[in-house]
Amino acid sequence: MKRFITNSFYFIALAGLALSFNACVSGNQKQQKSVEENIVGTAGPNDEMMEEFAKSKLIFYSLPSPLETAMLIKRSGASFNEELLNPLENIDKYTTNKKMALNLGVYSADLSYTSLFDQTQSSIKYMANAKRLADGLGILDAIDESTIHQLEENMNNRDVILDIISETFMSSNAYLTENNRPALAAMVLVGGWVEGLYLATKLSNGSLENNKKLIDRIIYQKLSLITVINLLEEYKEEEDVASVLAQMNQLQVIFEQVKIVNTSKVEVETDAENKTTTLKADSETHISKDVFEKLLNKVDEIRTEFIS
Amino acid sequence: MSRAYKAIISTVIAILLVAKVNGQCVAFAKESCKSKLETYVHDGNYHAATLSEGEGVELHKTFFEGQDYRLVICKAEKLPNIYFKVINELGRVVYDNSKENYKAIWDFNTSKTQELTVQIMVTEDSEKQVLSGCVAVMFGIKKMTD
């Protein structure tokens, strides 16, 4: 199976070449592709096509982005705490590609968090730091001076600010993945994911009772962690990735003690008027105080290593 | 021209083509796909590839209770329909766009946080030529009102 990974999207060199040639041979006769020949003339999906799909599919692993994580935190009713952010002055410590990538993710998460809570002055400063790290990684055009100016000009328009953040995050990610640096792109995403988890755990104030919605958000990161690990596994031959993967595996040992149990059947309902589908199901979660403490400590330890 | 020299030239050309094709997909995603999210905020993740008829991708993502999502799949104009289905963690198909005339937009929410798998495939309907082009997948999240 060809496995193409992205948090976004990753071309390994040979497969990339293969795809490019595909792109360039659009005039080729279908007879030249023996496997596809079997399904010529079939409109729409059928069993044979799906079988072929299973053999040749590319795989994307999609993590919750910094923006989505910040939205989850805000929707849980948590508050803003500036003291939790990675201090701006830490940026001078980040001189290796690994640290720059991880902290581009970290600062992107902080940027999203400040923006969701309308801390625009902080957002501008964190965007400037994200720009410095993107520049350091050689990412061209993702964040430029005009991006900062756009933020300044739209200080009171959260929608525009969020749009600018999502655009810059996508551009950085696309640049790295499509310039044969997918491992660094993965590290940016993992840095952002860890920072989001750090913010959520700190905002819980160590209590399982204060904000149950926030605790649920933390517990369900158990599912995202599987995606994180699958993503990093693809690049584990690289030393920098291997060390981050080891940290994620340590985190998984703790998350394995967290229980998520499905308690109802899945029902699918579509609202005919607004054409929105609801996937109805229930589940219950359980985490002991002891495991929660271990989780908080491990997240804190990993994040401290990332930002130091 | 020696065989080795030809091989080097071919490799360089191929690498340049990779950059060109991939670059086109970034621009394609931004220009042709993002606007279809309409009032939903793009989550910032990038998923795009050059695909040929019959090729597909599988995307794994956790979706959270309490968020309203929009899934948008965009394709180069010349490509035939894009087929996609969404499968839950129990292996049940919860959405199949072939039942809705290959609709490329799906709005949904979930009452419990769960991982879903989106299987996406370029269908085949041209008789003689294999068509290729960019396919992008984007997720939007409904804006917060407060």
Side-chain angles (χ1 to χ4, degrees), chain A residues 7-9 26 30 39 58 63 65 68 75 167 178 217 262 266 281, chain B residues 22 34 43 45-48 58 65 67 69 92 111-112 124 126 130 142:
Chain A
N7 46 48
S8 14
F9 169 69
S26 59
K30 203 162 261 179
I39 50 178
L58 320 177
L63 299 184
S65 67
E68 179 170 13
R75 283 197 165 114
E167 179 92 6
E178 298 197 344
R217 296 305 195 204
N262 294 327
V266 181
Chain B
N22 293 346
K34 206 170 169 187
D43 69 359
N45 283 328
Y46 172 66
H47 315 282
E58 185 172 280
E65 170 271 326
Q67 307 257 60
Y69 293 95
R92 178 178 165 191
S111 66
K112 73 155 192 154
E124 298 191 85
S126 57
V130 178
K142 197 166 254 184

PDB file of all heavy atoms in Angstrom, chain A residues 7-9 26 30 39 58 63 65 68 75 167 178 217 262 266 281, chain B residues 22 34 43 45-48 58 65 67 69 92 111-112 124 126 130 142:
ATOM      1  N   ASN A   7      -0.499  15.510   7.912  1.00  0.00           N
ATOM      2  CA  ASN A   7      -1.420  16.118   8.817  1.00  0.00           C
ATOM      3  C   ASN A   7      -2.104  16.896   7.811  1.00  0.00           C
ATOM      4  O   ASN A   7      -3.194  17.206   7.806  1.00  0.00           O
ATOM      5  CB  ASN A   7      -0.701  17.020   9.744  1.00  0.00           C
ATOM      6  CG  ASN A   7       0.239  17.837   8.953  1.00  0.00           C
ATOM      7  OD1 ASN A   7      -0.155  18.380   7.944  1.00  0.00           O
ATOM      8  ND2 ASN A   7       1.422  17.907   9.405  1.00  0.00           N
ATOM      9  N   SER A   8      -1.374  17.176   7.055  1.00  0.00           N
ATOM     10  CA  SER A   8      -1.721  17.759   5.836  1.00  0.00           C
ATOM     11  C   SER A   8      -1.285  16.719   4.877  1.00  0.00           C
ATOM     12  O   SER A   8      -1.780  15.643   4.892  1.00  0.00           O
ATOM     13  CB  SER A   8      -0.990  19.013   5.631  1.00  0.00           C
ATOM     14  OG  SER A   8       0.018  19.112   6.503  1.00  0.00           O
ATOM     15  N   PHE A   9      -0.238  16.919   4.113  1.00  0.00           N
ATOM     16  CA  PHE A   9      -0.144  15.998   3.034  1.00  0.00           C
ATOM     17  C   PHE A   9       1.286  15.814   2.637  1.00  0.00           C
ATOM     18  O   PHE A   9       2.050  16.740   2.578  1.00  0.00           O
ATOM     19  CB  PHE A   9      -0.981  16.571   1.920  1.00  0.00           C
ATOM     20  CG  PHE A   9      -0.765  15.873   0.663  1.00  0.00           C
ATOM     21  CD1 PHE A   9      -1.188  14.591   0.507  1.00  0.00           C
ATOM     22  CD2 PHE A   9      -0.117  16.505  -0.343  1.00  0.00           C
ATOM     23  CE1 PHE A   9      -0.977  13.952  -0.670  1.00  0.00           C
ATOM     24  CE2 PHE A   9       0.090  15.866  -1.501  1.00  0.00           C
ATOM     25  CZ  PHE A   9      -0.338  14.590  -1.666  1.00  0.00           C
ATOM     26  N   SER A  26      -1.753  12.489 -18.592  1.00  0.00           N
ATOM     27  CA  SER A  26      -3.198  12.426 -18.646  1.00  0.00           C
ATOM     28  C   SER A  26      -3.698  11.980 -20.006  1.00  0.00           C
ATOM     29  O   SER A  26      -4.832  11.569 -20.158  1.00  0.00           O
ATOM     30  CB  SER A  26      -3.803  13.768 -18.265  1.00  0.00           C
ATOM     31  OG  SER A  26      -3.336  14.740 -19.142  1.00  0.00           O
ATOM     32  N   LYS A  30      -5.958   4.300 -21.376  1.00  0.00           N
ATOM     33  CA  LYS A  30      -6.303   3.566 -20.173  1.00  0.00           C
ATOM     34  C   LYS A  30      -5.792   2.126 -20.217  1.00  0.00           C
ATOM     35  O   LYS A  30      -5.516   1.521 -19.200  1.00  0.00           O
ATOM     36  CB  LYS A  30      -7.820   3.569 -20.003  1.00  0.00           C
ATOM     37  CG  LYS A  30      -8.235   3.334 -18.592  1.00  0.00           C
ATOM     38  CD  LYS A  30      -9.641   3.756 -18.355  1.00  0.00           C
ATOM     39  CE  LYS A  30      -9.685   5.118 -17.728  1.00  0.00           C
ATOM     40  NZ  LYS A  30     -11.015   5.595 -17.498  1.00  0.00           N
ATOM     41  N   ILE A  39     -11.861  -1.873 -14.327  1.00  0.00           N
ATOM     42  CA  ILE A  39     -13.017  -1.123 -13.860  1.00  0.00           C
ATOM     43  C   ILE A  39     -13.455  -0.033 -14.828  1.00  0.00           C
ATOM     44  O   ILE A  39     -14.299   0.782 -14.517  1.00  0.00           O
ATOM     45  CB  ILE A  39     -12.746  -0.512 -12.463  1.00  0.00           C
ATOM     46  CG1 ILE A  39     -11.421   0.226 -12.452  1.00  0.00           C
ATOM     47  CG2 ILE A  39     -12.763  -1.572 -11.402  1.00  0.00           C
ATOM     48  CD1 ILE A  39     -11.103   0.886 -11.133  1.00  0.00           C
ATOM     49  N   LEU A  58      -3.967   6.498  -0.542  1.00  0.00           N
ATOM     50  CA  LEU A  58      -3.037   7.304   0.241  1.00  0.00           C
ATOM     51  C   LEU A  58      -3.698   7.513   1.600  1.00  0.00           C
ATOM     52  O   LEU A  58      -4.913   7.406   1.714  1.00  0.00           O
ATOM     53  CB  LEU A  58      -2.815   8.662  -0.422  1.00  0.00           C
ATOM     54  CG  LEU A  58      -2.685   8.716  -1.945  1.00  0.00           C
ATOM     55  CD1 LEU A  58      -2.552  10.150  -2.403  1.00  0.00           C
ATOM     56  CD2 LEU A  58      -1.506   7.900  -2.406  1.00  0.00           C
ATOM     57  N   LEU A  63      -4.765  15.972  12.520  1.00  0.00           N
ATOM     58  CA  LEU A  63      -4.828  16.291  13.949  1.00  0.00           C
ATOM     59  C   LEU A  63      -5.740  17.485  14.171  1.00  0.00           C
ATOM     60  O   LEU A  63      -5.929  18.298  13.265  1.00  0.00           O
ATOM     61  CB  LEU A  63      -3.439  16.670  14.464  1.00  0.00           C
ATOM     62  CG  LEU A  63      -2.334  15.635  14.359  1.00  0.00           C
ATOM     63  CD1 LEU A  63      -1.066  16.159  15.005  1.00  0.00           C
ATOM     64  CD2 LEU A  63      -2.760  14.355  15.025  1.00  0.00           C
ATOM     65  N   SER A  65      -6.308  20.984  14.726  1.00  0.00           N
ATOM     66  CA  SER A  65      -5.379  22.099  14.499  1.00  0.00           C
ATOM     67  C   SER A  65      -5.366  22.999  15.739  1.00  0.00           C
ATOM     68  O   SER A  65      -6.268  22.925  16.576  1.00  0.00           O
ATOM     69  CB  SER A  65      -5.834  22.913  13.286  1.00  0.00           C
ATOM     70  OG  SER A  65      -7.057  23.559  13.588  1.00  0.00           O
ATOM     71  N   GLU A  68      -8.686  24.708  16.052  1.00  0.00           N
ATOM     72  CA  GLU A  68      -9.789  23.864  16.550  1.00  0.00           C
ATOM     73  C   GLU A  68      -9.627  23.622  18.046  1.00  0.00           C
ATOM     74  O   GLU A  68     -10.608  23.674  18.795  1.00  0.00           O
ATOM     75  CB  GLU A  68      -9.828  22.522  15.798  1.00  0.00           C
ATOM     76  CG  GLU A  68     -10.952  21.640  16.325  1.00  0.00           C
ATOM     77  CD  GLU A  68     -11.226  20.398  15.499  1.00  0.00           C
ATOM     78  OE1 GLU A  68     -10.413  20.040  14.632  1.00  0.00           O
ATOM     79  OE2 GLU A  68     -12.281  19.779  15.733  1.00  0.00           O
ATOM     80  N   ARG A  75     -15.096  26.828  23.998  1.00  0.00           N
ATOM     81  CA  ARG A  75     -16.474  26.308  24.102  1.00  0.00           C
ATOM     82  C   ARG A  75     -16.696  25.536  25.404  1.00  0.00           C
ATOM     83  O   ARG A  75     -17.827  25.350  25.824  1.00  0.00           O
ATOM     84  CB  ARG A  75     -16.792  25.413  22.899  1.00  0.00           C
ATOM     85  CG  ARG A  75     -17.087  26.215  21.642  1.00  0.00           C
ATOM     86  CD  ARG A  75     -17.791  25.391  20.557  1.00  0.00           C
ATOM     87  NE  ARG A  75     -18.362  26.283  19.550  1.00  0.00           N
ATOM     88  CZ  ARG A  75     -17.944  26.346  18.278  1.00  0.00           C
ATOM     89  NH1 ARG A  75     -16.976  25.558  17.860  1.00  0.00           N
ATOM     90  NH2 ARG A  75     -18.502  27.185  17.429  1.00  0.00           N
ATOM     91  N   GLU A 167      -5.163  30.561   7.505  1.00  0.00           N
ATOM     92  CA  GLU A 167      -4.456  30.658   6.212  1.00  0.00           C
ATOM     93  C   GLU A 167      -2.940  30.506   6.401  1.00  0.00           C
ATOM     94  O   GLU A 167      -2.284  29.784   5.652  1.00  0.00           O
ATOM     95  CB  GLU A 167      -4.776  32.019   5.570  1.00  0.00           C
ATOM     96  CG  GLU A 167      -4.102  32.266   4.232  1.00  0.00           C
ATOM     97  CD  GLU A 167      -4.940  31.837   3.042  1.00  0.00           C
ATOM     98  OE1 GLU A 167      -6.106  31.442   3.235  1.00  0.00           O
ATOM     99  OE2 GLU A 167      -4.414  31.882   1.918  1.00  0.00           O
ATOM    100  N   GLU A 178       5.151  19.939   1.036  1.00  0.00           N
ATOM    101  CA  GLU A 178       5.315  19.850  -0.405  1.00  0.00           C
ATOM    102  C   GLU A 178       6.719  20.223  -0.866  1.00  0.00           C
ATOM    103  O   GLU A 178       6.986  20.247  -2.056  1.00  0.00           O
ATOM    104  CB  GLU A 178       4.254  20.689  -1.091  1.00  0.00           C
ATOM    105  CG  GLU A 178       2.872  20.130  -0.721  1.00  0.00           C
ATOM    106  CD  GLU A 178       1.777  20.581  -1.614  1.00  0.00           C
ATOM    107  OE1 GLU A 178       1.981  21.555  -2.353  1.00  0.00           O
ATOM    108  OE2 GLU A 178       0.718  19.952  -1.571  1.00  0.00           O
ATOM    109  N   ARG A 217     -12.917  17.117  27.149  1.00  0.00           N
ATOM    110  CA  ARG A 217     -12.069  17.495  26.003  1.00  0.00           C
ATOM    111  C   ARG A 217     -10.680  16.893  26.148  1.00  0.00           C
ATOM    112  O   ARG A 217     -10.075  16.449  25.175  1.00  0.00           O
ATOM    113  CB  ARG A 217     -11.917  19.023  25.907  1.00  0.00           C
ATOM    114  CG  ARG A 217     -13.189  19.800  25.636  1.00  0.00           C
ATOM    115  CD  ARG A 217     -13.872  19.322  24.408  1.00  0.00           C
ATOM    116  NE  ARG A 217     -14.862  20.264  23.952  1.00  0.00           N
ATOM    117  CZ  ARG A 217     -15.912  19.930  23.204  1.00  0.00           C
ATOM    118  NH1 ARG A 217     -16.112  18.667  22.866  1.00  0.00           N
ATOM    119  NH2 ARG A 217     -16.769  20.839  22.793  1.00  0.00           N
ATOM    120  N   ASN A 262     -18.542   3.205  24.799  1.00  0.00           N
ATOM    121  CA  ASN A 262     -19.758   3.522  24.035  1.00  0.00           C
ATOM    122  C   ASN A 262     -20.953   2.952  24.772  1.00  0.00           C
ATOM    123  O   ASN A 262     -20.940   1.783  25.162  1.00  0.00           O
ATOM    124  CB  ASN A 262     -19.673   2.917  22.630  1.00  0.00           C
ATOM    125  CG  ASN A 262     -18.568   3.573  21.820  1.00  0.00           C
ATOM    126  OD1 ASN A 262     -18.292   4.752  21.982  1.00  0.00           O
ATOM    127  ND2 ASN A 262     -17.918   2.803  20.984  1.00  0.00           N
ATOM    128  N   VAL A 266     -25.340   3.738  17.364  1.00  0.00           N
ATOM    129  CA  VAL A 266     -25.167   4.948  16.564  1.00  0.00           C
ATOM    130  C   VAL A 266     -26.432   5.169  15.722  1.00  0.00           C
ATOM    131  O   VAL A 266     -26.908   4.250  15.081  1.00  0.00           O
ATOM    132  CB  VAL A 266     -23.953   4.805  15.624  1.00  0.00           C
ATOM    133  CG1 VAL A 266     -23.754   6.066  14.804  1.00  0.00           C
ATOM    134  CG2 VAL A 266     -22.709   4.455  16.408  1.00  0.00           C
ATOM    135  N   ALA A 281     -25.009   9.304  19.296  1.00  0.00           N
ATOM    136  CA  ALA A 281     -24.495   8.170  20.074  1.00  0.00           C
ATOM    137  C   ALA A 281     -24.065   8.721  21.428  1.00  0.00           C
ATOM    138  O   ALA A 281     -23.866   9.933  21.581  1.00  0.00           O
ATOM    139  CB  ALA A 281     -23.314   7.534  19.372  1.00  0.00           C
TER     140      ALA A 281
ATOM    141  N   ASN B  22       2.616  19.971  -7.124  1.00  0.00           N
ATOM    142  CA  ASN B  22       2.220  20.180  -5.742  1.00  0.00           C
ATOM    143  C   ASN B  22       1.860  21.635  -5.487  1.00  0.00           C
ATOM    144  O   ASN B  22       0.892  21.938  -4.816  1.00  0.00           O
ATOM    145  CB  ASN B  22       3.350  19.754  -4.806  1.00  0.00           C
ATOM    146  CG  ASN B  22       3.566  18.260  -4.862  1.00  0.00           C
ATOM    147  OD1 ASN B  22       2.716  17.546  -5.390  1.00  0.00           O
ATOM    148  ND2 ASN B  22       4.676  17.813  -4.353  1.00  0.00           N
ATOM    149  N   LYS B  34     -11.476  26.897  -0.504  1.00  0.00           N
ATOM    150  CA  LYS B  34     -11.729  27.555   0.781  1.00  0.00           C
ATOM    151  C   LYS B  34     -13.060  28.319   0.805  1.00  0.00           C
ATOM    152  O   LYS B  34     -13.754  28.326   1.820  1.00  0.00           O
ATOM    153  CB  LYS B  34     -10.565  28.493   1.115  1.00  0.00           C
ATOM    154  CG  LYS B  34     -10.416  28.717   2.593  1.00  0.00           C
ATOM    155  CD  LYS B  34      -9.145  29.425   2.941  1.00  0.00           C
ATOM    156  CE  LYS B  34      -9.210  29.854   4.395  1.00  0.00           C
ATOM    157  NZ  LYS B  34      -8.089  30.677   4.786  1.00  0.00           N
ATOM    158  N   ASP B  43     -10.148  24.975   9.466  1.00  0.00           N
ATOM    159  CA  ASP B  43      -9.366  24.588  10.657  1.00  0.00           C
ATOM    160  C   ASP B  43      -7.863  24.826  10.478  1.00  0.00           C
ATOM    161  O   ASP B  43      -7.104  24.760  11.439  1.00  0.00           O
ATOM    162  CB  ASP B  43      -9.652  23.130  11.067  1.00  0.00           C
ATOM    163  CG  ASP B  43      -9.120  22.102  10.082  1.00  0.00           C
ATOM    164  OD1 ASP B  43      -8.536  22.490   9.055  1.00  0.00           O
ATOM    165  OD2 ASP B  43      -9.287  20.891  10.356  1.00  0.00           O
ATOM    166  N   ASN B  45      -5.787  23.038   8.552  1.00  0.00           N
ATOM    167  CA  ASN B  45      -5.045  21.865   8.065  1.00  0.00           C
ATOM    168  C   ASN B  45      -5.103  21.811   6.542  1.00  0.00           C
ATOM    169  O   ASN B  45      -6.060  22.271   5.928  1.00  0.00           O
ATOM    170  CB  ASN B  45      -5.631  20.572   8.648  1.00  0.00           C
ATOM    171  CG  ASN B  45      -5.191  20.368  10.092  1.00  0.00           C
ATOM    172  OD1 ASN B  45      -4.096  20.772  10.469  1.00  0.00           O
ATOM    173  ND2 ASN B  45      -6.038  19.765  10.896  1.00  0.00           N
ATOM    174  N   TYR B  46      -4.064  21.217   5.978  1.00  0.00           N
ATOM    175  CA  TYR B  46      -3.966  21.150   4.521  1.00  0.00           C
ATOM    176  C   TYR B  46      -3.922  19.697   4.055  1.00  0.00           C
ATOM    177  O   TYR B  46      -3.032  18.937   4.455  1.00  0.00           O
ATOM    178  CB  TYR B  46      -2.692  21.870   4.064  1.00  0.00           C
ATOM    179  CG  TYR B  46      -2.385  21.701   2.602  1.00  0.00           C
ATOM    180  CD1 TYR B  46      -3.221  22.230   1.633  1.00  0.00           C
ATOM    181  CD2 TYR B  46      -1.270  20.984   2.185  1.00  0.00           C
ATOM    182  CE1 TYR B  46      -2.950  22.066   0.285  1.00  0.00           C
ATOM    183  CE2 TYR B  46      -0.984  20.820   0.841  1.00  0.00           C
ATOM    184  CZ  TYR B  46      -1.829  21.361  -0.098  1.00  0.00           C
ATOM    185  OH  TYR B  46      -1.570  21.187  -1.432  1.00  0.00           O
ATOM    186  N   HIS B  47      -4.877  19.322   3.248  1.00  0.00           N
ATOM    187  CA  HIS B  47      -4.892  17.978   2.666  1.00  0.00           C
ATOM    188  C   HIS B  47      -5.200  18.122   1.182  1.00  0.00           C
ATOM    189  O   HIS B  47      -6.332  18.477   0.832  1.00  0.00           O
ATOM    190  CB  HIS B  47      -5.989  17.108   3.275  1.00  0.00           C
ATOM    191  CG  HIS B  47      -6.091  17.180   4.763  1.00  0.00           C
ATOM    192  ND1 HIS B  47      -5.239  16.513   5.599  1.00  0.00           N
ATOM    193  CD2 HIS B  47      -6.947  17.844   5.568  1.00  0.00           C
ATOM    194  CE1 HIS B  47      -5.577  16.757   6.846  1.00  0.00           C
ATOM    195  NE2 HIS B  47      -6.604  17.567   6.856  1.00  0.00           N
ATOM    196  N   ALA B  48      -4.224  17.854   0.352  1.00  0.00           N
ATOM    197  CA  ALA B  48      -4.476  17.921  -1.089  1.00  0.00           C
ATOM    198  C   ALA B  48      -3.495  17.008  -1.800  1.00  0.00           C
ATOM    199  O   ALA B  48      -2.388  16.763  -1.320  1.00  0.00           O
ATOM    200  CB  ALA B  48      -4.347  19.350  -1.602  1.00  0.00           C
ATOM    201  N   GLU B  58      -7.525   8.127   2.075  1.00  0.00           N
ATOM    202  CA  GLU B  58      -8.298   7.833   3.282  1.00  0.00           C
ATOM    203  C   GLU B  58      -7.826   8.790   4.361  1.00  0.00           C
ATOM    204  O   GLU B  58      -6.622   8.919   4.575  1.00  0.00           O
ATOM    205  CB  GLU B  58      -8.048   6.380   3.696  1.00  0.00           C
ATOM    206  CG  GLU B  58      -8.892   5.929   4.860  1.00  0.00           C
ATOM    207  CD  GLU B  58      -8.725   4.424   5.097  1.00  0.00           C
ATOM    208  OE1 GLU B  58      -9.358   3.648   4.377  1.00  0.00           O
ATOM    209  OE2 GLU B  58      -7.953   4.062   5.996  1.00  0.00           O
ATOM    210  N   GLU B  65     -17.608  16.404  19.936  1.00  0.00           N
ATOM    211  CA  GLU B  65     -18.982  16.744  20.315  1.00  0.00           C
ATOM    212  C   GLU B  65     -19.063  18.259  20.555  1.00  0.00           C
ATOM    213  O   GLU B  65     -18.127  18.849  21.098  1.00  0.00           O
ATOM    214  CB  GLU B  65     -19.318  15.945  21.596  1.00  0.00           C
ATOM    215  CG  GLU B  65     -20.597  16.313  22.290  1.00  0.00           C
ATOM    216  CD  GLU B  65     -20.418  17.419  23.318  1.00  0.00           C
ATOM    217  OE1 GLU B  65     -19.342  17.479  23.954  1.00  0.00           O
ATOM    218  OE2 GLU B  65     -21.347  18.243  23.458  1.00  0.00           O
ATOM    219  N   GLN B  67     -19.124  20.646  18.289  1.00  0.00           N
ATOM    220  CA  GLN B  67     -18.671  21.468  17.160  1.00  0.00           C
ATOM    221  C   GLN B  67     -19.522  21.102  15.939  1.00  0.00           C
ATOM    222  O   GLN B  67     -19.858  19.932  15.751  1.00  0.00           O
ATOM    223  CB  GLN B  67     -17.216  21.169  16.793  1.00  0.00           C
ATOM    224  CG  GLN B  67     -16.227  21.244  17.947  1.00  0.00           C
ATOM    225  CD  GLN B  67     -15.411  22.522  17.935  1.00  0.00           C
ATOM    226  OE1 GLN B  67     -15.967  23.622  18.020  1.00  0.00           O
ATOM    227  NE2 GLN B  67     -14.128  22.407  17.838  1.00  0.00           N
ATOM    228  N   TYR B  69     -19.393  20.849  11.955  1.00  0.00           N
ATOM    229  CA  TYR B  69     -18.343  20.734  10.936  1.00  0.00           C
ATOM    230  C   TYR B  69     -18.923  20.831   9.524  1.00  0.00           C
ATOM    231  O   TYR B  69     -20.057  20.426   9.273  1.00  0.00           O
ATOM    232  CB  TYR B  69     -17.625  19.386  11.051  1.00  0.00           C
ATOM    233  CG  TYR B  69     -16.817  19.214  12.309  1.00  0.00           C
ATOM    234  CD1 TYR B  69     -17.369  18.568  13.428  1.00  0.00           C
ATOM    235  CD2 TYR B  69     -15.503  19.663  12.400  1.00  0.00           C
ATOM    236  CE1 TYR B  69     -16.628  18.390  14.587  1.00  0.00           C
ATOM    237  CE2 TYR B  69     -14.756  19.479  13.555  1.00  0.00           C
ATOM    238  CZ  TYR B  69     -15.323  18.844  14.647  1.00  0.00           C
ATOM    239  OH  TYR B  69     -14.576  18.663  15.796  1.00  0.00           O
ATOM    240  N   ARG B  92     -19.263   1.300  10.476  1.00  0.00           N
ATOM    241  CA  ARG B  92     -20.541   1.596   9.832  1.00  0.00           C
ATOM    242  C   ARG B  92     -20.428   2.843   8.961  1.00  0.00           C
ATOM    243  O   ARG B  92     -19.859   3.854   9.379  1.00  0.00           O
ATOM    244  CB  ARG B  92     -21.604   1.811  10.916  1.00  0.00           C
ATOM    245  CG  ARG B  92     -22.947   2.164  10.335  1.00  0.00           C
ATOM    246  CD  ARG B  92     -23.998   2.328  11.421  1.00  0.00           C
ATOM    247  NE  ARG B  92     -25.157   3.002  10.853  1.00  0.00           N
ATOM    248  CZ  ARG B  92     -26.161   3.482  11.560  1.00  0.00           C
ATOM    249  NH1 ARG B  92     -26.166   3.338  12.868  1.00  0.00           N
ATOM    250  NH2 ARG B  92     -27.170   4.101  10.973  1.00  0.00           N
ATOM    251  N   SER B 111     -22.864  13.803  18.469  1.00  0.00           N
ATOM    252  CA  SER B 111     -23.232  13.978  19.879  1.00  0.00           C
ATOM    253  C   SER B 111     -22.214  13.320  20.811  1.00  0.00           C
ATOM    254  O   SER B 111     -22.318  13.430  22.020  1.00  0.00           O
ATOM    255  CB  SER B 111     -24.632  13.411  20.137  1.00  0.00           C
ATOM    256  OG  SER B 111     -24.619  12.018  19.963  1.00  0.00           O
ATOM    257  N   LYS B 112     -21.273  12.600  20.241  1.00  0.00           N
ATOM    258  CA  LYS B 112     -20.143  12.125  21.063  1.00  0.00           C
ATOM    259  C   LYS B 112     -18.856  12.262  20.250  1.00  0.00           C
ATOM    260  O   LYS B 112     -18.874  12.120  19.020  1.00  0.00           O
ATOM    261  CB  LYS B 112     -20.337  10.677  21.509  1.00  0.00           C
ATOM    262  CG  LYS B 112     -20.146   9.653  20.430  1.00  0.00           C
ATOM    263  CD  LYS B 112     -19.738   8.313  21.020  1.00  0.00           C
ATOM    264  CE  LYS B 112     -19.275   7.387  19.905  1.00  0.00           C
ATOM    265  NZ  LYS B 112     -18.364   6.373  20.308  1.00  0.00           N
ATOM    266  N   GLU B 124     -14.406   6.922 -12.235  1.00  0.00           N
ATOM    267  CA  GLU B 124     -13.902   6.817 -13.611  1.00  0.00           C
ATOM    268  C   GLU B 124     -15.075   6.921 -14.570  1.00  0.00           C
ATOM    269  O   GLU B 124     -16.011   6.136 -14.479  1.00  0.00           O
ATOM    270  CB  GLU B 124     -13.210   5.482 -13.809  1.00  0.00           C
ATOM    271  CG  GLU B 124     -12.006   5.321 -12.920  1.00  0.00           C
ATOM    272  CD  GLU B 124     -11.193   4.120 -13.306  1.00  0.00           C
ATOM    273  OE1 GLU B 124     -10.351   4.248 -14.202  1.00  0.00           O
ATOM    274  OE2 GLU B 124     -11.423   3.055 -12.728  1.00  0.00           O
ATOM    275  N   SER B 126     -14.247   8.414 -18.003  1.00  0.00           N
ATOM    276  CA  SER B 126     -13.761   8.680 -19.355  1.00  0.00           C
ATOM    277  C   SER B 126     -13.368   7.356 -19.989  1.00  0.00           C
ATOM    278  O   SER B 126     -12.777   6.499 -19.336  1.00  0.00           O
ATOM    279  CB  SER B 126     -12.577   9.636 -19.314  1.00  0.00           C
ATOM    280  OG  SER B 126     -11.569   9.110 -18.515  1.00  0.00           O
ATOM    281  N   VAL B 130      -6.895   8.587 -19.070  1.00  0.00           N
ATOM    282  CA  VAL B 130      -6.848   8.670 -17.612  1.00  0.00           C
ATOM    283  C   VAL B 130      -6.661  10.138 -17.254  1.00  0.00           C
ATOM    284  O   VAL B 130      -5.660  10.743 -17.626  1.00  0.00           O
ATOM    285  CB  VAL B 130      -5.668   7.856 -17.046  1.00  0.00           C
ATOM    286  CG1 VAL B 130      -5.604   8.005 -15.532  1.00  0.00           C
ATOM    287  CG2 VAL B 130      -5.806   6.398 -17.424  1.00  0.00           C
ATOM    288  N   LYS B 142     -17.987  25.613  12.576  1.00  0.00           N
ATOM    289  CA  LYS B 142     -18.915  26.754  12.676  1.00  0.00           C
ATOM    290  C   LYS B 142     -18.366  27.783  13.646  1.00  0.00           C
ATOM    291  O   LYS B 142     -17.837  27.433  14.710  1.00  0.00           O
ATOM    292  CB  LYS B 142     -20.302  26.278  13.123  1.00  0.00           C
ATOM    293  CG  LYS B 142     -21.387  27.303  12.862  1.00  0.00           C
ATOM    294  CD  LYS B 142     -22.761  26.712  12.990  1.00  0.00           C
ATOM    295  CE  LYS B 142     -23.385  26.541  11.616  1.00  0.00           C
ATOM    296  NZ  LYS B 142     -24.772  26.049  11.671  1.00  0.00           N
TER     297      LYS B 142
END
